[in-house]
Amino acid sequence: ADFSWKMQSNLNPGEPGYIAAEDFAENVNRMSGGRIEIEMFPGGALFPLADGLESISLGIADLAVLTGGYFAGKMGPIANLETGVPGSLRTPLERYTFFYEEGFIDVVREAFAKQDVHYVAPQLSSSWDIMSKEPITSAADFEGLKIRTFGLEAEWFESLGASPVFMGGSEIYTALATGVLDAARWSSPAGNFKSSYHEVAKYYLSNSPMPVPNNFFAMNTGVWNSLPDDLKAVVEEAAKLSSFKYMSLTALNDADALNQMKEAGVEVTTIPDAEWAEMEAKAKTLWKAYAEEDELTAKAVKMLEDYMAKLGR
Amino acid sequence: MSEQALLTILLFGSMITVLGLGVPIAIALGGLTVVFIHFFWSDAAINLLPVRSFAVTSSFEYLAVPLFVLMATVLQRSKIAEDMYDTMQVLFGRLRGGLAVGTIVICTIFAAMAGISGAATIAMGVIAIPAMLARGYSKGLAVGSVAAGGSLGILIPPSITMIVYGLVTGTSIGQLYAGGVGPGLLIAGLFSLWILFCGWRWPETVGGIPEDTGLPRPSKLKALRGIVLPFVLIVLVLGSILGGYASISESAAVGAAGAMLLAALRGQMTGKVMGEALQETLSLSCMIFWIIIGASALANFYTAMGAARVIEEAVLGLDANPWIILICMQLTLLVMGMVLDSTGIILITAPIFLPIASALGFDPVWFGVLYIINMEMGFLSPPFGYNLFYIRAVAPKSVRMVDIYRSVVPFLLLMLIALALCMIFPGIVTWLPDQLFG
Amino acid sequence: MLVDHAPMTRIIRIIDTIMIWLGRLAMMLVPIILVLILAEIGYRAVVGRSLTFVEDLASWLLVAVVSLGGPPTLMRGEFVRVDAAYDHYGPRAKALLDTVLSTALMACFLYAMVWLGSNFAMKSFNTGEVSATGSWDGPVWVAKALIPLGSALLGLAWISHVLKLWVDVRAGAADV
Ligand code: NA
Ligand code: NA
């Protein structure tokens, strides 16, 4: 092979997002006629996820799947908008269109270039949902709720009276078990099931605060620039395919995981549509305020608002 | 031989040589990692050292280390620990080896308060080793029982290692927690039996045969006071966790503050005690963290070089009976445990081993608990084992590394026996999860 | 052979004084961590809310404890070794081991930690990185800068350590 790269996923082997990233690696190899070989590593094996931007820009790995929201402290709110914000887009296709047809990907690339990282493509993922120890059926149930979350969602839940708690993944299970947490915003049904949260939190909120978040493929700028144009196209197209692989795996896994959780005694709760819409409107005010922060973010917020207007929302 | 196999030999060979010559461990691991990354990976990748070290030292889970150490040093300096051992001497003095058995019991309780192994080992090392040595215990038994007892922390819930394993493999964390209880108690029981056997067979290792001094023995009621304060502390820490007031990392702060409060109640919370306790906390914590920095970078390098492939070749190459494959997996873990740290081993091997184990029809929870027992042995197995280094830092200067290496051997053998028992009688692991999760 | 090793002892004394003060500083950070975590537990129990800055601040203080506390710990000779062979060495062999092999490994380690670590901290400073939780604007570069700083001081402590070994060798030679 002309190029052999090390790539870190944000997840562990066997998880849908990891398989979708392996699918990317295989497609790149196949589409490039074997000129590119990619060796995959699980999340945290090459570098800690929270230091993903530095690690890619310094060249510890050539390529990685990262989560934008982790980098809001380095990049400002544009990182949150890249991951997706509550009260905005609802389906993967809306998100895909927003990135590729509305041109959001150009704004994002500009933002990540400032961090010396090449933004290859989003990897659309399954929803990020809330599981709780007591049923959540209305906005009022957020009052006093000790919920594990971060970023914009933390602000949002706080505006509803909740008390956001910041906690690493390794502590959530035990914290839910003992009652340090009342609820946790984590992954989709498959991810929550894999983390065993159904054993300690028996309610699943069907309204998703983050219905279509995405991770993204990040690449070392030097490595990217060293590629001939045909291989650049291969990498970009394979990354697009990876999103679809992820979505189809999600469709296969989430329903099954939710059923297994139900069998284990989990109940699905719902906040009525009208009330949820009001809650989402609050979230929208929060991310609209991001426009004040910097020029690039203002452009992104405007772009999102315009697109939502086209969608009639 | 594959490139990775060659690298494996070179890496661990030079590690053992450099450590054996006596280079300080933290410096040896950090320096070797840089050299190896330069020659076998890329200069850009050397950046992982500062990145890793920031991640290690800024992780909230590790905050429990200095705080539990502070708790222990306060208990030791304020003589609460000594009173506790005096009491145990009165209560179990006639039982040869009673103090060491008491130490194992306290380690087991401590394991239920901490999610990591280090915190319990250092804390008990500070408290128990001087107490046992002062009462005539041999170095081997005093040091070995603490090193071994301390390692129970990751097997008895709560356990960060089980959570890492559960997240990597998708195994139920609740069932792993429940599954660890039986083997944890079994191992604690085996340790205690061994100590009692030593006391019976070689009385000189447990401070000799207790003789009647002719002096009136303090009444048991009066002596009980020595145990009341430590008991209050345990209730405080466990209560803060189970009552939902503190996460497992935060509960260490309850322990440290509780120890200070108790010392103050006894009028012993002086500036001198506090100063010495803080000084010792600083030394022990820093010594450990600088080792963790080097060790995690080294494991990181080994993972990046495709360590998983060596393991995969070794295990998949076997076309044998499922039990032989299972035993080979345990042996692989045992050998890796001698040179690598547990998080690294899990990242490298768990994604390979678990699918094999389930394909062979083994219960994932049962396999996971066997796995954790192996990780626990890794904390003890020479030459590279965190518990060995913790003990070296805590124990008096007269206890040399060789003494520590020697002291853990019988305990390692006992853990091997426990591992074998869990394999032969899976019910030891699966009974409790079956009861709780049906 | 008459050698004046006063300059050596003077360097040792200067470095050790710095280390002692550094140790006192690092030591005092531990009770601050303790108080922060207790405040978080108490605030949650009483007010029902989380002091959202505590997790970051306590973790960063741990970085400070380890970075600044490491050098004085090294100075006190409390960096653990496998002493199976080491205990049997004479002063000269001990000095040679640490001057040659350990120093070489230390140099490689410090290159990564000080040089590349500064670069890592500078990246954080240049982007004005703040806490990733979004709960407060705590500057991360301060914590990150402690890694190269602490490592550089570790190198300083190592110099004092090696010099002491040679003072011992000479003292031993003088006795003979
Ligand atoms: Na434990
Ligand atoms: Na070991």
Side-chain angles (χ1 to χ4, degrees):
Chain A
D2 301 340
F3 299 90
S4 55
W5 296 333
K6 289 187 195 306
M7 168 170 172
Q8 176 172 296
S9 161
N10 57 330
L11 298 166
N12 290 309
E15 292 182 74
Y18 191 93
I19 298 173
E22 284 178 318
D23 191 61
F24 161 81
E26 274 162 36
N27 279 331
V28 167
N29 184 260
R30 212 164 40 83
M31 290 157 75
S32 69
R35 282 188 285 162
I36 303 177
E37 262 175 15
I38 299 177
E39 188 179 2
M40 284 279 299
F41 292 88
L46 298 184
F47 55 81
L49 295 172
D51 300 303
L53 290 184
E54 292 89 339
S55 301
I56 288 297
S57 75
L58 293 169
I60 295 177
D62 306 287
L63 199 59
V65 179
L66 302 174
T67 306
Y70 284 5
F71 311 122
K74 296 180 174 95
M75 306 174 56
I78 186 78
N80 290 326
L81 287 161
E82 189 276 327
T83 301
V85 283
S88 61
L89 305 180
R90 289 176 190 159
T91 68
L93 211 54
E94 283 180 5
R95 248 353 249 148
Y96 182 86
T97 310
F98 184 52
F99 268 101
Y100 288 105
E101 303 301 330
E102 299 289 304
F104 183 54
I105 196 167
D106 300 325
V107 176
V108 176
R109 281 193 176 142
E110 194 180 333
F112 280 90
K114 287 183 188 162
Q115 305 294 318
D116 203 15
V117 162
H118 178 69
Y119 185 99
V120 178
Q123 189 198 35
L124 303 177
S125 101
S126 43
S127 59
W128 291 349
D129 305 337
I130 295 175
M131 290 190 76
S132 57
K133 291 177 74 83
E134 297 294 330
I136 298 176
T137 53
S138 72
D141 289 329
F142 278 86
E143 181 64 44
L145 191 77
K146 284 176 283 179
I147 180 167
R148 181 270 174 196
T149 180
F150 66 93
L152 178 71
E153 285 171 279
E155 280 178 67
W156 181 29
F157 299 145
E158 201 165 16
S159 75
L160 299 166
S163 170
V165 180
F166 304 97
M167 189 175 275
S170 65
E171 294 217 81
I172 298 175
Y173 178 91
T174 318
L176 281 169
T178 61
V180 169
L181 289 177
D182 302 317
R185 203 290 278 126
W186 188 246
S187 181
S188 72
N192 288 328
F193 181 62
K194 194 168 185 239
S195 308
S196 312
Y197 295 150
H198 59 286
E199 293 169 0
V200 285
K202 292 292 183 194
Y203 297 92
Y204 204 110
L205 183 62
S206 67
N207 317 70
S208 179
M210 292 285 274
V212 277
N214 59 271
N215 303 295
F216 67 96
F217 291 92
M219 199 163 179
N220 179 278
T221 313
V223 176
W224 173 258
N225 289 336
S226 72
L227 288 180
D229 285 347
D230 61 330
L231 291 185
K232 281 182 177 164
V234 162
V235 171
E236 284 182 347
E237 298 309 307
K240 277 187 197 167
L241 282 175
S242 173
S243 282
F244 290 94
K245 181 75 179 176
Y246 201 160
M247 298 323 304
S248 56
L249 288 172
T250 299
L252 284 172
N253 288 311
D254 274 352
D256 182 47
L258 195 59
N259 280 334
Q260 291 197 55
M261 286 197 270
K262 282 180 187 163
E263 271 171 37
V266 168
E267 247 179 75
V268 176
T269 64
T270 303
I271 297 175
D273 285 347
E275 200 175 354
W276 183 251
E278 270 176 46
M279 285 172 65
E280 285 198 320
K282 271 193 182 174
K284 197 172 170 182
T285 358
L286 289 173
W287 59 256
K288 274 185 173 173
Y290 282 167
E292 317 290 318
E293 305 261 336
D294 62 84
E295 216 172 296
L296 202 60
T297 309
K299 195 171 163 189
V301 169
K302 173 90 176 25
M303 208 174 239
L304 184 56
E305 282 181 303
D306 288 351
Y307 179 53
M308 282 179 72
K310 282 188 198 170
L311 292 168
R313 297 208 291 268
Chain B
M1 197 179 338
S2 75
E3 197 185 317
Q4 278 83 22
L6 198 69
L7 179 70
T8 303
I9 294 170
L10 205 58
L11 179 65
F12 296 131
S14 45
M15 183 174 142
I16 289 167
T17 310
V18 171
L19 289 182
L21 282 172
V23 176
I25 296 159
I27 298 167
L29 297 178
L32 273 182
T33 308
V34 173
V35 173
F36 270 84
I37 294 179
H38 170 74
F39 284 109
F40 293 92
W41 188 356
S42 76
D43 283 346
I46 299 177
N47 279 296
L48 73 82
L49 272 107
V51 173
R52 265 294 153 202
S53 57
F54 182 70
V56 164
T57 51
S58 66
S59 81
F60 197 75
E61 285 86 351
Y62 278 128
L63 272 172
V65 171
L67 295 175
F68 270 133
V69 175
L70 180 60
M71 175 186 93
T73 51
V74 168
L75 290 179
Q76 209 253 337
R77 304 279 164 175
S78 66
K79 311 275 187 251
I80 294 177
E82 206 174 299
D83 284 3
M84 181 173 79
Y85 273 84
D86 277 342
T87 300
M88 292 208 303
Q89 183 85 316
V90 171
L91 294 177
F92 309 115
R94 296 190 177 256
L95 196 64
R96 276 188 248 154
L99 286 189
V101 174
T103 302
I104 296 290
V105 172
I106 299 170
C107 283
T108 311
I109 297 172
F110 210 124
M113 309 194 300
I116 46 183
S117 163
T121 312
I122 313 165
M124 285 308 293
V126 168
I127 294 171
I129 292 179
M132 284 193 280
L133 290 179
R135 287 162 183 81
Y137 273 66
S138 71
K139 283 182 202 166
L141 219 49
V143 164
S145 60
V146 172
S151 71
L152 289 168
I154 59 165
L155 183 58
I156 292 176
S159 161
I160 299 277
T161 315
M162 280 185 179
I163 290 192
V164 172
Y165 180 86
L167 289 177
V168 171
T169 62
T171 314
S172 153
I173 292 164
Q175 294 194 41
L176 283 174
Y177 271 15
V181 174
L185 295 178
L186 170 71
I187 291 175
L190 288 176
F191 288 169
S192 304
L193 285 176
W194 166 250
I195 292 163
L196 292 175
F197 173 79
C198 289
W200 170 74
R201 184 71 183 74
W202 305 286
E204 68 281 4
T205 60
V206 298
I209 297 171
E211 42 189 290
D212 206 341
T213 51
L215 294 169
R217 293 165 58 84
S219 78
K220 295 209 168 173
L221 196 67
K222 196 173 162 200
L224 264 178
R225 282 199 311 209
I227 279 192
V228 170
L229 291 185
F231 184 75
V232 168
L233 192 58
I234 288 167
V235 170
L236 271 179
V237 176
L238 273 179
S240 74
I241 297 175
L242 298 175
Y245 294 104
S247 72
I248 41 177
S249 306
E250 292 169 341
S251 72
V254 176
M260 289 182 196
L261 198 70
L262 298 183
L265 283 179
R266 289 171 38 133
Q268 283 157 330
M269 199 60 241
T270 61
K272 182 166 175 285
V273 166
M274 194 61 210
E276 287 175 357
L278 282 175
Q279 173 60 55
E280 195 168 356
T281 303
L282 185 73
S283 292
L284 292 174
S285 311
C286 291
M287 183 286 295
I288 287 151
F289 274 103
W290 283 89
I291 292 182
I292 298 179
I293 289 172
S296 65
L298 186 114
N300 195 161
F301 161 75
Y302 189 52
T303 313
M305 290 299 98
R309 284 196 296 273
V310 190
I311 312 299
E312 212 162 10
E313 281 165 23
V315 179
L316 287 182
L318 294 166
D319 183 22
N321 169 304
W323 282 89
I324 307 259
I325 297 179
L326 182 77
I327 290 167
C328 285
M329 287 197 272
Q330 309 296 320
L331 286 177
T332 310
L333 292 174
L334 202 66
V335 172
M336 290 183 85
M338 292 166 74
V339 279
L340 283 178
D341 89 328
S342 59
T343 314
I345 300 178
I346 294 181
L347 273 173
I348 295 169
T349 61
I352 303 171
F353 282 3
L354 195 83
I356 298 177
S358 4
L360 295 175
F362 294 116
D363 173 36
V365 172
W366 173 73
F367 184 77
V369 171
L370 296 184
Y371 201 100
I372 300 292
I373 298 177
N374 273 297
M375 295 301 103
E376 207 192 331
M377 291 167 72
F379 278 94
L380 286 190
S381 58
F384 182 87
Y386 284 127
N387 280 15
L388 307 167
F389 306 149
Y390 299 161
I391 296 288
R392 179 65 190 82
V394 174
K397 293 277 174 267
S398 62
V399 180
R400 290 167 311 139
M401 205 66 185
V402 193
D403 297 324
I404 301 172
Y405 281 170
R406 215 174 284 141
S407 76
V408 295
V409 171
F411 292 95
L412 273 171
L413 291 175
L414 290 169
M415 288 160 101
L416 264 182
I417 293 173
L419 190 66
L421 285 174
C422 292
M423 285 166 73
I424 300 165
F425 307 105
I428 300 171
V429 177
T430 55
W431 184 80
L432 190 59
D434 285 350
Q435 297 301 308
L436 294 178
F437 295 84
Chain C
M1 184 170 65
L2 269 175
V3 184
D4 174 23
H5 53 254
M8 244 153 85
T9 41
R10 197 174 316 124
I11 295 171
I12 292 172
R13 209 177 312 122
I14 294 169
I15 295 179
D16 287 5
T17 312
I18 297 173
M19 292 303 147
I20 287 166
W21 282 101
L22 200 60
R24 286 183 186 151
L25 171 71
M27 199 169 95
M28 293 323 293
L29 301 177
V30 179
I32 299 178
I33 294 177
L34 178 63
V35 169
L36 276 174
I37 296 181
L38 289 176
E40 158 74 0
I41 296 172
Y43 202 70
R44 259 197 335 246
V46 178
V47 188
R49 304 209 147 254
S50 187
L51 290 173
T52 45
F53 60 90
V54 164
E55 167 148 3
D56 278 327
L57 196 54
S59 312
W60 297 350
L61 282 169
L62 182 62
V63 179
V65 168
V66 176
S67 306
L68 305 179
T73 304
L74 178 74
M75 184 274 279
R76 288 167 191 275
E78 284 169 353
F79 265 42
V80 172
R81 320 168 180 257
V82 176
D83 51 18
Y86 188 80
D87 266 1
H88 302 286
Y89 299 164
R92 182 170 294 272
K94 281 184 180 170
L96 277 173
L97 175 79
D98 275 0
T99 313
V100 181
L101 183 57
S102 307
T103 301
L105 288 166
M106 186 71 155
C108 296
F109 183 48
L110 291 186
Y111 155 75
M113 298 291 281
V114 179
W115 182 247
L116 303 178
S118 307
N119 190 12
F120 180 58
M122 274 312 285
K123 259 184 181 298
S124 173
F125 179 77
N126 289 336
T127 52
E129 179 180 8
V130 295
S131 161
T133 59
S135 58
W136 66 310
D137 285 342
V140 184
W141 69 267
V142 179
K144 287 189 173 170
L146 287 167
I147 300 273
L149 176 68
S151 304
L153 290 165
L154 196 72
L156 196 62
W158 184 253
I159 292 173
S160 150
H161 164 77
V162 172
L163 290 180
K164 275 181 213 159
L165 291 173
W166 288 106
V167 170
D168 284 354
V169 170
R170 290 189 179 179
D175 286 347
V176 174

mmCIF file of all heavy atoms in Angstrom, chain A residues 42-59:
data_model
loop_
_atom_site.group_PDB
_atom_site.id
_atom_site.type_symbol
_atom_site.label_atom_id
_atom_site.label_comp_id
_atom_site.label_asym_id
_atom_site.label_seq_id
_atom_site.Cartn_x
_atom_site.Cartn_y
_atom_site.Cartn_z
ATOM 1 N N PRO A 42 -9.769 0.760 18.967
ATOM 2 C CA PRO A 42 -10.927 1.193 19.752
ATOM 3 C C PRO A 42 -10.705 2.556 20.420
ATOM 4 O O PRO A 42 -9.568 3.030 20.515
ATOM 5 C CB PRO A 42 -11.086 0.097 20.803
ATOM 6 C CG PRO A 42 -9.851 -0.705 20.795
ATOM 7 C CD PRO A 42 -9.127 -0.441 19.507
ATOM 8 N N GLY A 43 -11.793 3.171 20.873
ATOM 9 C CA GLY A 43 -11.732 4.482 21.532
ATOM 10 C C GLY A 43 -10.762 4.471 22.704
ATOM 11 O O GLY A 43 -10.820 3.591 23.542
ATOM 12 N N GLY A 44 -9.853 5.454 22.731
ATOM 13 C CA GLY A 44 -8.921 5.553 23.851
ATOM 14 C C GLY A 44 -7.668 4.710 23.707
ATOM 15 O O GLY A 44 -6.751 4.833 24.514
ATOM 16 N N ALA A 45 -7.590 3.850 22.688
ATOM 17 C CA ALA A 45 -6.419 2.973 22.568
ATOM 18 C C ALA A 45 -5.172 3.750 22.136
ATOM 19 O O ALA A 45 -4.068 3.465 22.598
ATOM 20 C CB ALA A 45 -6.693 1.840 21.595
ATOM 21 N N LEU A 46 -5.345 4.731 21.250
ATOM 22 C CA LEU A 46 -4.188 5.506 20.791
ATOM 23 C C LEU A 46 -4.047 6.819 21.552
ATOM 24 O O LEU A 46 -2.943 7.269 21.821
ATOM 25 C CB LEU A 46 -4.303 5.801 19.292
ATOM 26 C CG LEU A 46 -4.333 4.587 18.360
ATOM 27 C CD1 LEU A 46 -4.345 5.039 16.907
ATOM 28 C CD2 LEU A 46 -3.144 3.672 18.595
ATOM 29 N N PHE A 47 -5.175 7.452 21.864
ATOM 30 C CA PHE A 47 -5.127 8.716 22.608
ATOM 31 C C PHE A 47 -6.460 8.899 23.321
ATOM 32 O O PHE A 47 -7.461 8.310 22.909
ATOM 33 C CB PHE A 47 -4.846 9.895 21.661
ATOM 34 C CG PHE A 47 -5.819 9.999 20.519
ATOM 35 C CD1 PHE A 47 -7.061 10.588 20.695
ATOM 36 C CD2 PHE A 47 -5.507 9.488 19.267
ATOM 37 C CE1 PHE A 47 -7.967 10.662 19.653
ATOM 38 C CE2 PHE A 47 -6.413 9.556 18.213
ATOM 39 C CZ PHE A 47 -7.641 10.152 18.406
ATOM 40 N N PRO A 48 -6.479 9.690 24.399
ATOM 41 C CA PRO A 48 -7.735 9.914 25.117
ATOM 42 C C PRO A 48 -8.705 10.725 24.244
ATOM 43 O O PRO A 48 -8.284 11.659 23.559
ATOM 44 C CB PRO A 48 -7.311 10.734 26.336
ATOM 45 C CG PRO A 48 -5.817 10.657 26.398
ATOM 46 C CD PRO A 48 -5.344 10.384 25.020
ATOM 47 N N LEU A 49 -9.980 10.340 24.260
ATOM 48 C CA LEU A 49 -10.964 10.969 23.374
ATOM 49 C C LEU A 49 -11.034 12.487 23.551
ATOM 50 O O LEU A 49 -11.180 13.218 22.585
ATOM 51 C CB LEU A 49 -12.346 10.364 23.628
ATOM 52 C CG LEU A 49 -12.475 8.884 23.267
ATOM 53 C CD1 LEU A 49 -13.813 8.329 23.732
ATOM 54 C CD2 LEU A 49 -12.318 8.697 21.772
ATOM 55 N N ALA A 50 -10.905 12.951 24.789
ATOM 56 C CA ALA A 50 -11.053 14.381 25.051
ATOM 57 C C ALA A 50 -9.927 15.200 24.414
ATOM 58 O O ALA A 50 -10.058 16.397 24.225
ATOM 59 C CB ALA A 50 -11.110 14.641 26.546
ATOM 60 N N ASP A 51 -8.798 14.552 24.089
ATOM 61 C CA ASP A 51 -7.678 15.263 23.473
ATOM 62 C C ASP A 51 -7.553 14.927 21.990
ATOM 63 O O ASP A 51 -6.471 14.972 21.412
ATOM 64 C CB ASP A 51 -6.377 14.918 24.203
ATOM 65 C CG ASP A 51 -6.437 15.298 25.659
ATOM 66 O OD1 ASP A 51 -6.679 16.484 25.943
ATOM 67 O OD2 ASP A 51 -6.286 14.418 26.527
ATOM 68 N N GLY A 52 -8.683 14.591 21.384
ATOM 69 C CA GLY A 52 -8.687 14.139 19.998
ATOM 70 C C GLY A 52 -8.123 15.143 19.010
ATOM 71 O O GLY A 52 -7.364 14.778 18.113
ATOM 72 N N LEU A 53 -8.472 16.428 19.172
ATOM 73 C CA LEU A 53 -8.014 17.418 18.193
ATOM 74 C C LEU A 53 -6.501 17.540 18.200
ATOM 75 O O LEU A 53 -5.853 17.508 17.152
ATOM 76 C CB LEU A 53 -8.646 18.782 18.479
ATOM 77 C CG LEU A 53 -10.143 18.908 18.197
ATOM 78 C CD1 LEU A 53 -10.601 20.334 18.444
ATOM 79 C CD2 LEU A 53 -10.460 18.489 16.769
ATOM 80 N N GLU A 54 -5.920 17.687 19.409
ATOM 81 C CA GLU A 54 -4.456 17.801 19.491
ATOM 82 C C GLU A 54 -3.807 16.547 18.943
ATOM 83 O O GLU A 54 -2.811 16.608 18.225
ATOM 84 C CB GLU A 54 -3.985 17.966 20.940
ATOM 85 C CG GLU A 54 -4.367 19.268 21.603
ATOM 86 C CD GLU A 54 -5.714 19.170 22.280
ATOM 87 O OE1 GLU A 54 -6.506 18.275 21.908
ATOM 88 O OE2 GLU A 54 -5.979 19.984 23.180
ATOM 89 N N SER A 55 -4.374 15.386 19.319
ATOM 90 C CA SER A 55 -3.736 14.129 18.948
ATOM 91 C C SER A 55 -3.701 13.950 17.437
ATOM 92 O O SER A 55 -2.716 13.475 16.890
ATOM 93 C CB SER A 55 -4.458 12.957 19.603
ATOM 94 O OG SER A 55 -4.436 13.131 21.010
ATOM 95 N N ILE A 56 -4.782 14.362 16.767
ATOM 96 C CA ILE A 56 -4.790 14.251 15.307
ATOM 97 C C ILE A 56 -3.883 15.310 14.689
ATOM 98 O O ILE A 56 -3.110 15.034 13.782
ATOM 99 C CB ILE A 56 -6.233 14.382 14.767
ATOM 100 C CG1 ILE A 56 -7.026 13.124 15.109
ATOM 101 C CG2 ILE A 56 -6.235 14.601 13.264
ATOM 102 C CD1 ILE A 56 -6.491 11.858 14.483
ATOM 103 N N SER A 57 -3.948 16.530 15.206
ATOM 104 C CA SER A 57 -3.129 17.571 14.590
ATOM 105 C C SER A 57 -1.641 17.312 14.836
ATOM 106 O O SER A 57 -0.813 17.611 14.002
ATOM 107 C CB SER A 57 -3.550 18.964 15.081
ATOM 108 O OG SER A 57 -3.097 19.168 16.387
ATOM 109 N N LEU A 58 -1.299 16.684 15.986
ATOM 110 C CA LEU A 58 0.105 16.376 16.253
ATOM 111 C C LEU A 58 0.556 15.110 15.532
ATOM 112 O O LEU A 58 1.738 14.819 15.463
ATOM 113 C CB LEU A 58 0.332 16.201 17.757
ATOM 114 C CG LEU A 58 0.169 17.447 18.627
ATOM 115 C CD1 LEU A 58 0.148 17.086 20.101
ATOM 116 C CD2 LEU A 58 1.266 18.458 18.341
ATOM 117 N N GLY A 59 -0.404 14.339 15.054
ATOM 118 C CA GLY A 59 -0.049 13.155 14.277
ATOM 119 C C GLY A 59 0.127 11.880 15.080
ATOM 120 O O GLY A 59 0.792 10.954 14.626
#
